[in-house]
């Protein structure tokens, strides 16, 4: 059995970044949060592969979040 503590930590980190993105006020902060979210999602995907978890598809928020910046 593999230790999933790192994966769980990444999921919490992702959740926190999404909250910070919703609260971000400046464009620069929003872009920074979007980049961090994308990096964390990629790391979660790699961790799942390492653990042998078949579910690899991750919802990407990058495009949706970028379009919301310019609404």
């Amino acid at each position: 059995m593999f230790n999933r503590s790192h994966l769980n930590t990444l999921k919490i980190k992702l959740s926190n970044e999404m909250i910070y993105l919703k609260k971000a006020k400046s464009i620069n902060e929003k872009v920074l949060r979007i980049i961090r979210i994308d990096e964390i999602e990629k790391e979660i995907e790699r961790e799942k592969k390492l653990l042998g978890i078949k579910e690899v598809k991750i919802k990407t928020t990058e495009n949706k979040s970028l379009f919301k910046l310019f609404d």
Side-chain angles (χ1 to χ4, degrees):
M1 178 111 177
F2 291 105
N3 184 347
R4 294 183 181 211
S5 61
H6 186 245
L7 179 59
N8 293 336
T9 301
L10 289 171
K11 288 179 177 182
I12 291 168
K13 191 175 179 182
L14 178 62
S15 175
N16 289 340
E17 285 297 331
M18 289 181 165
I19 292 168
Y20 299 149
L21 175 60
K22 288 179 183 177
K23 293 182 178 182
K25 294 187 171 131
S26 71
I27 296 283
N28 288 338
E29 186 181 1
K30 289 178 182 182
V31 170
L32 173 69
R33 298 297 177 192
I34 291 167
I35 291 169
R36 285 186 181 172
I37 288 169
D38 186 56
E39 290 171 352
I40 296 167
E41 287 176 336
K42 288 176 184 175
E43 192 171 352
I44 288 172
E45 188 174 324
R46 287 190 300 270
E47 187 72 14
K48 284 183 174 182
K49 284 182 182 178
L50 178 68
L51 293 172
I53 298 172
K54 302 232 181 220
E55 178 193 2
V56 179
K57 182 90 173 155
I58 301 285
K59 176 187 159 197
T60 53
T61 57
E62 182 177 3
N63 290 339
K64 291 178 187 176
S65 298
L66 282 174
F67 286 120
K68 285 181 184 177
L69 288 176
F70 301 103
D71 283 346

